[in-house]
Amino acid sequence: MSILISPALPNGSSPPAPASSTEADEESLSHPLLNRLNPSASNNTSRVAIVGSSVCPIESLDYEIMENDYFKQDWRRGEKIQILQYISMKWMMCFFIGLLVGLVGFCNNLAVENIAGMKFVVTSNMMLAGRYTMAFLVFASSNFGLTLFAGLITAFIAPEAAGSGIPEVKAYLNGVDAPAIFSLRTLFVKIVGSISAVSGSLVIGKAGPMVHTGACIAALMGEGGSKKYGLTWKWLKYFKNDRDRRDLVTCGSAAGMAAAFRAPVGGVLFALEEMASWWRSTLLWRAFFTTAVVAIVLRALIDVCLSGKCGLFGKGGLIMFDVTSANIAYRIWDVPPVLLLAVIGGIWGSLYNLLQDRVLRIYNGINIRGAAYKIVLALTVSIFTSCLLFGLPWLAPCRPCPSDTSEPCPTIGRNGNYKKFQCPPGHYNDLASLFFNTNDDAIKNLFSKNTDDEFHLLSMLIFFITCFCLSIFSYGIVAPAGLFVPVIVTGAAYGRLIGMMFGSQSTLNHGLFAVLGSASLLGGSMRMTVSLCVIILELTNDLLLLPLMMLVLLISKTVADAFNGNIYDLIMRLKGFPYLERHAEPYLRQLSVSDVVTGPLQLFNGIEKVGNIIHVLKNTEHNGFPVVDEPPLSAAPILFGLVLRTHLLTLLKKKAFLQNLVPAGYNAFNQFSADDFAKGLDHRDTVENIQLTDEELDMFIDLHPFCNTSPFTVVETMSLAKALILFREVGLRHLLVIPKVSGRVPVVGILTRHDFMPEHVLSLYPSLAKSKWKRLRFKLPGGVKIF
């Protein structure tokens, strides 16, 4: 029968007990909003998180292979041809992921350039005719309609598609799963909603949604399609564990970044540096192959556009912003302005993260009230944005067209650097040239070389402040929205400002300062170095900038780290995802694992009564259960292994019951197939759906063949920091704690993701919050508050 035991602690001491068992391993970080939504949860954590713009239950993933006797026997039966098929399927999947993501990335760019471009052309033509009021109404109503469409499909079809998607994918690759984040409807809304929202002139990007799109495509292919909508292919259902699907999602996220910026190497490094929590050489090869396929697909499709068959879609190759300068040279006096740019960029980046965090907290309180509030918020941001984009250029003075320009001035009926707006013939409005363009074209204008006299200092200051504020307030609405492009365009404006102020003392042109400004703000906000460096180099095609860019990224990241975390970690924490960091907090070294293990702990015997299993599954939400053998099955109580909840449900559905307390042995395998124990294929199975008779409830189940007989274990005296490193690096969901001294119960507790969360540890030991053993961070004075 089942037994309940409380874990023994060394020295007879017991830590303050948390409000509920640590076995609730699907729990997330503490969040006031989530606690109001889950009032029944009496502990300091919640089992729900904000996914997209809705609140959903979350659960943990187990990247450890469940090595029970059935798995071993099934693996021994595998022939060489099956192993070859398994390896070939991985590479084939990567090929199809790259192919599909490349197609989606091209179609996204094609649609945005044509929809937004047509809107700007119509508005500009009305401006040329002097119909300024009608031009504003057309511009604002177009943005209003596009934002409304994006908000409606996101709010009512797939709320999980709201936002960037990178925090959700990053949390999944860390071992946290949420329903519908990779569903077919989420994929559809992510693609269509991103096109609509970006075309609606919101200061958002499409890089984050492309990463989520790539992850969705990879996850759907790894599961054989969408089971909910009956779109499944049996030959694709080859991966039966979370680890293989995690690898595919990693390749999909790399492909998404490669498609967004046409940066295949940068996409791989982005997945390595920012997304993946576990990495190995074979995954590197497959991710590189996937992004190579993306690059080839984009190159082939863009070549088709060279003939002019793609409407307003810009021509060119894989390089989006070509700022190559063959005669660039550095001087010693060029370094101080670059260092100043990097330091201030790091401060701006940390301030951006702080303000974004405050705004998202406010938005979450609005979005939780219902779909109507979400849409009204999105439309309010759209109207405000339209008014600024159309109204602010009137503040900029008209500038005469340069005589040595390589393109027509003013630009009429097409995208370009010289927008006429309200200016007389032969003049252009520099601020309208930035506001009345897509974000990609605005970046291209700012990165352009030999344009030092194109923009006025006041215009650049207005553009920088506007983009900085709008990018903060545009993210968090009920629409797919990325952060990469807004930060790049804001950083480019910041870099231009620095170049204008120090241009006379530097040999660098203002376009190069814009590139370095984008790097500094990206480094200060997202805290990546290697991947950002390569992505920007692939974007700009300027290898001569490499030393300065490395210097800027390192300094800006270092400065910003002194204030807060990177933007995606802040968003994950705000959403409530229990993300395990790469490092352990210093105060965790002062605790042992026994200090955070709480009871009671639920155990099963090796041969357990069916009624007891049903009772435990109905009254707990635990996912894993230690299995203990006692006499007469063993000479003394021993830990036999660990059995999963999903496996118990499978045994109950198949009714693999015994009449007596007799081991079933290998005969238990005859009524099962490998697919029966494939994890993650169907999360809808519950114990309530299993109907059993009273006679069946008195029968027994032999759990021995279905237990993981070699679960990871730690001694109760191990440092909590050391246990965290083991838990994260191996990708565990359960870590069993065994006693230091023999003669006691064979297992004293289970460590799960919840036990390592700082909020949980500090709730048990509040004094550690004031410990000197914590990371140094500068904070605002106590009386200073933002929002």
Side-chain angles (χ1 to χ4, degrees), residues 121-144:
V121 168
V122 172
T123 304
S124 298
N125 289 338
M126 290 184 175
M127 296 284 290
L128 289 174
R131 303 168 61 189
Y132 300 126
T133 304
M134 184 58 65
F136 170 71
L137 292 177
V138 170
F139 178 72
S141 60
S142 299
N143 294 338
F144 185 90

Side-chain angles (χ1 to χ4, degrees), residues 427-623:
H427 292 72
Y428 72 98
N429 188 312
D430 58 348
L431 197 52
S433 301
L434 298 174
F435 280 139
F436 258 60
N437 265 325
T438 62
N439 288 331
D440 287 351
D441 288 323
I443 296 171
K444 190 177 299 183
N445 293 347
L446 292 170
F447 282 4
S448 297
K449 54 191 174 184
N450 303 323
T451 57
D452 289 3
D453 299 325
E454 182 177 327
F455 301 100
H456 192 272
L457 180 63
L458 177 61
S459 299
M460 196 53 57
L461 180 62
I462 294 174
F463 182 73
F464 167 67
I465 296 174
T466 304
C467 286
F468 187 86
C469 296
L470 286 182
S471 62
I472 292 173
F473 285 100
S474 298
Y475 187 84
I477 64 173
V478 59
L483 289 170
F484 254 93
V485 173
V487 173
I488 290 176
V489 69
T490 305
Y494 157 69
R496 276 266 180 178
L497 278 173
I498 298 295
M500 290 177 178
M501 289 186 287
F502 294 95
S504 58
Q505 290 83 33
S506 174
T507 58
L508 300 177
N509 65 60
H510 295 177
L512 297 179
F513 268 107
V515 175
L516 295 176
S518 293
S520 69
L521 202 59
L522 283 169
S525 176
M526 301 182 181
R527 314 295 163 81
M528 292 177 278
T529 52
V530 180
S531 58
L532 285 179
C533 186
V534 174
I535 288 173
I536 296 175
L537 288 178
E538 290 183 287
L539 279 176
T540 59
N541 195 29
D542 197 343
L543 286 174
L544 295 176
L545 270 180
L546 179 60
L548 289 180
M549 198 174 301
M550 294 172 63
L551 184 65
V552 165
L553 285 168
L554 287 171
I555 294 176
S556 62
K557 179 187 183 302
T558 303
V559 171
D561 278 337
F563 296 95
N564 49 35
N566 80 63
I567 185 63
Y568 294 124
D569 288 351
L570 292 177
I571 294 175
M572 280 194 298
R573 181 168 183 166
L574 185 63
K575 285 176 173 288
F577 290 119
Y579 184 83
L580 294 178
E581 298 285 352
R582 287 186 173 90
H583 63 274
E585 293 290 344
Y587 55 76
L588 295 182
R589 302 190 189 104
Q590 304 178 49
L591 300 174
S592 63
V593 295
S594 62
D595 293 331
V596 297
V597 169
T598 57
L601 174 68
Q602 181 66 61
L603 304 178
F604 283 133
N605 281 328
I607 302 178
E608 187 59 82
K609 191 175 182 180
V610 174
N612 290 339
I613 296 177
I614 292 290
H615 174 76
V616 171
L617 294 181
K618 284 185 176 181
N619 290 277
T620 68
E621 296 182 355
H622 307 347
N623 179 72

Side-chain angles (χ1 to χ4, degrees), residues 698-719:
D698 290 330
M699 293 184 180
F700 300 90
I701 296 180
D702 185 5
L703 301 179
H704 293 101
F706 308 99
C707 288
N708 181 5
T709 57
S710 55
F712 280 86
T713 60
V714 294
V715 181
E716 60 183 344
T717 55
M718 177 182 284
S719 162

